[in-house]
């Protein structure tokens, strides 16, 4: 088939470290490997800004635009609107499709510019920004942000979501033209063989000691108080258990001051990150805001039983009592009991640890990349939305 020219517009991209950036980096790699051309548009993060991909990569060009600091997100900016620049670029070199990965001002201007030029647009729903507002003192904005996101996505020909559960939830609130494109996990990188006796020794722990891990941004939206409360309950049953926190964020300083006994590993990457996962014994993920949760899949692939709410990736890949424990969303007592059930039954925890990698073994990125290309081609083939945006195609399941 004829290779595509895909214009990807995003607020975040490698080497920035977050779920959206890492997923999008993988997706762009997949497009390039299949012979497609990618024109990337994103904010310039700092003066010496360099992509995680070399600017010399064949078939990849990068345009950096102005941005402003995102409050509470050190080192990350949102892109300012650039409609004139985008229209000029896309008139000169029209892409087959515009893929808008984030819903900031830059993404909104990209959707408007593409529609003006009659270029098909695919948007992606990665982050519950409307839910984040309540964690940063702007709960009164939640409804306004939710309405804005819905209008924005409904101006695209297709909105990509990582799970059917999220697609159904969005459809119930008025989103149209939903398509499921899941996310994968690198099982060659994340696997139990990365377990490191040397790393555990550095934590002053033996091979039989229990390490409870949480990997992610140390920020209010990650529900860290429940991580701490669950760990305290675990430690009352198994004294000597340690809590490993991998990641950085605005809550880190306060956590280190109030809980100096925990292990703060900071940001980790590649094989080092994989070793931190595999060298733990249990994974806690109590987030109520994540639309997917890449860390859930990485933990399972690393051989960790996962305790999580029945949401996002956890709802699809955790089999309750087999490779982890699920709790009803927001029921914190149930979450704590699930963790204690695994901790107080070592044999059950070991069985769950053995089952965990098998539960995500089929999530090969190559298959995910094929799903993305199929979705992009389908969006190109669909008729343009009328100016009133009233076209309704319903729920577009993954093929």
């Amino acid at each position: 088939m004829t290779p595509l020219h895909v214009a990807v517009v995003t607020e975040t991209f490698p080497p920035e470290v977050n779920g959206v950036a890492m997923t999008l980096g993988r997706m762009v790699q997949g497009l390039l490997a299949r012979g497609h051309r990618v024109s990337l548009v994103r904010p310039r993060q700092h003066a010496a800004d360099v992509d995680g991909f070399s600017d010399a990569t064949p078939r990849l060009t990068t345009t950096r635009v102005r941005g402003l600091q995102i409050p509470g997100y050190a080192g990350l900016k949102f892109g300012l609107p650039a409609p004139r620049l985008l229209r000029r670029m896309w008139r000169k070199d029209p892409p087959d499709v515009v893929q808008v990965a984030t819903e900031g001002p830059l993404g909104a201007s990209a959707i408007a510019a593409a529609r003006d030029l009659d270029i098909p647009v695919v948007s992606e729903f990665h982050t519950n920004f409307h839910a984040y507002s309540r964690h940063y003192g702007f709960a009164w904005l939640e409804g306004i942000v939710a309405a804005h996101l819905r209008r924005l996505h409904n101006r695209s020909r297709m909105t990509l979501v990582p799970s059917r559960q999220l697609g159904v939830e969005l459809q119930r609130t008025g989103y149209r033209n939903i398509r499921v494109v899941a996310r994968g996990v690198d099982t060659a990188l994340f696997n139990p063989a990365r377990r490191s006796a040397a790393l555990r020794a550095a934590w002053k722990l033996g091979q039989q000691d229990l390490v409870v891990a949480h990997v992610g941004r140390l920020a209010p939206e990650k529900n860290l108080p429940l991580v701490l409360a669950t760990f305290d309950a675990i430690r009352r049953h198994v004294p000597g258990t340690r809590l490993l926190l991998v990641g950085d964020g605005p809550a880190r300083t306060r956590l280190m001051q109030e809980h100096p006994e925990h292990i703060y590993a900071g940001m980790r990457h590649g094989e080092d990150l994989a070793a931190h996962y595999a060298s733990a014994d249990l994974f806690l993920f109590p987030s109520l805001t994540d639309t997917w949760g890449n860390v859930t899949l990485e933990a399972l692939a690393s051989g960790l039983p996962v305790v999580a709410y029945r949401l996002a990736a956890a709802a699809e890949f955790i089999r309750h009592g087999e490779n982890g424990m699920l709790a009803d969303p927001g029921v914190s007592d149930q979450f704590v009991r699930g963790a204690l059930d695994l901790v107080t039954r070592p044999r059950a925890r070991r069985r769950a640890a053995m089952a965990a990698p098998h539960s995500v073994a089929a999530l090969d990125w190559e298959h995910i990349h094929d799903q993305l290309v199929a979705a992009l081609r389908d969006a190109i083939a669909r008729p343009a939305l009328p100016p009133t945006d009233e076209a309704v195609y319903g729920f577009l399941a993954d093929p």
Side-chain angles (χ1 to χ4, degrees):
M1 300 182 73
T2 305
L4 298 177
H5 175 197
V6 184
V8 176
V9 182
T10 178
E11 249 79 19
T12 182
F13 197 73
E16 294 148 31
V17 181
N18 58 70
V20 177
M22 303 310 289
T23 296
L24 194 58
R26 280 280 189 173
M27 295 295 196
V28 168
Q29 277 185 322
L31 289 171
L32 295 173
R34 282 158 176 73
H36 304 293
R37 184 157 67 97
V38 176
S39 299
L40 179 67
V41 181
R42 65 174 184 82
R44 181 179 296 279
Q45 294 295 340
H46 49 78
D49 194 347
V50 176
D51 284 343
F53 300 89
S54 167
D55 284 340
T57 300
R59 299 183 304 280
L60 171 66
T61 58
T62 301
T63 300
R64 297 170 180 83
V65 301
R66 292 186 303 144
L68 293 177
Q69 186 69 47
I70 298 178
Y73 278 72
L76 194 61
K77 295 181 179 180
F78 64 85
L80 295 175
R84 285 183 291 183
L85 170 65
L86 295 174
R87 282 195 293 266
R88 185 167 65 250
M89 287 173 47
W90 294 341
R91 281 195 185 103
K92 183 178 179 180
D93 185 16
D96 296 302
V97 61
V98 173
Q99 181 181 344
V100 177
T102 53
E103 304 99 329
L106 175 62
S109 70
I111 291 175
R115 284 171 61 94
D116 287 346
L117 299 174
D118 197 26
I119 300 171
V121 185
V122 170
S123 61
E124 298 183 57
F125 195 102
H126 282 282
T127 308
N128 283 317
F129 284 115
H130 57 291
Y132 276 35
S133 59
R134 74 185 72 144
H135 296 287
Y136 288 90
F138 299 100
W140 56 277
L141 280 174
E142 185 171 350
I144 297 172
V145 174
H148 163 73
L149 292 177
R150 182 174 60 250
R151 286 194 297 269
L152 190 69
H153 283 282
N154 282 348
R155 300 193 76 213
S156 65
R157 293 192 186 182
M158 184 182 293
T159 295
L160 305 182
V161 297
S163 71
R164 177 171 289 275
Q165 179 195 47
L166 177 60
V168 170
E169 291 174 2
L170 292 179
Q171 189 183 40
R172 287 172 180 164
T173 61
Y175 281 70
R176 303 190 294 265
N177 311 324
I178 300 293
R179 176 73 167 253
V180 177
V181 175
R183 300 179 191 171
V185 61
D186 187 346
T187 55
L189 177 62
F190 298 102
N191 64 73
R194 301 284 182 181
R195 189 173 180 89
S196 170
L199 187 55
R200 289 177 63 92
W203 298 335
K204 298 180 171 57
L205 293 167
Q207 289 306 300
Q208 301 306 313
D209 293 319
L210 187 66
V211 178
V212 177
H214 177 270
V215 177
R217 181 171 162 77
L218 300 181
E221 70 271 12
K222 296 301 183 180
N223 202 7
L224 296 175
L226 185 52
V227 172
L228 299 176
T230 304
F231 174 74
D232 287 342
I234 291 172
R235 190 167 50 181
R236 285 193 292 270
H237 285 80
V238 185
T241 300
R242 299 291 302 279
L243 176 62
L244 168 66
L245 297 171
V246 180
D248 205 349
R252 182 178 179 178
T253 299
R254 179 181 54 81
L255 284 170
M256 294 181 71
Q257 291 171 346
E258 297 177 0
H259 302 278
E261 71 277 15
H262 301 325
I263 303 166
Y264 297 90
M267 299 292 288
R268 300 285 165 166
H269 309 275
E271 293 182 0
D272 185 25
L273 172 61
H276 278 71
Y277 272 113
S279 299
D281 303 290
L282 181 68
F283 192 80
L284 303 180
F285 189 64
S287 174
L288 289 161
T289 59
D290 282 68
T291 60
W292 184 245
N294 292 347
V295 295
T296 299
L297 303 185
E298 292 167 357
L300 289 170
S302 301
L304 299 187
V306 175
V307 182
Y309 283 127
R310 192 176 282 104
L311 294 167
E316 298 200 10
F317 295 101
I318 295 178
R319 299 187 300 273
H320 185 72
E322 294 183 26
N323 62 349
M325 302 295 286
L326 292 169
D328 294 328
V331 185
S332 56
D333 289 349
Q334 196 177 94
F335 186 97
V336 175
R337 288 197 302 272
L340 289 177
D341 191 22
L342 288 173
V343 167
T344 56
R345 296 192 301 135
R347 288 185 179 179
R349 189 179 74 249
R350 287 193 290 271
R351 285 196 301 269
M354 293 180 64
H358 299 287
S359 62
V360 295
L363 291 180
D364 180 76
W365 271 111
E366 295 304 310
H367 176 61
I368 306 303
H369 296 154
D370 290 341
Q371 288 184 355
L372 173 62
V373 173
L376 295 177
R377 291 193 185 279
D378 192 21
I380 293 170
R382 302 191 76 82
L385 293 175
T388 56
D389 295 340
E390 292 298 326
V392 179
Y393 302 122
F395 191 93
L396 306 175
D398 46 336

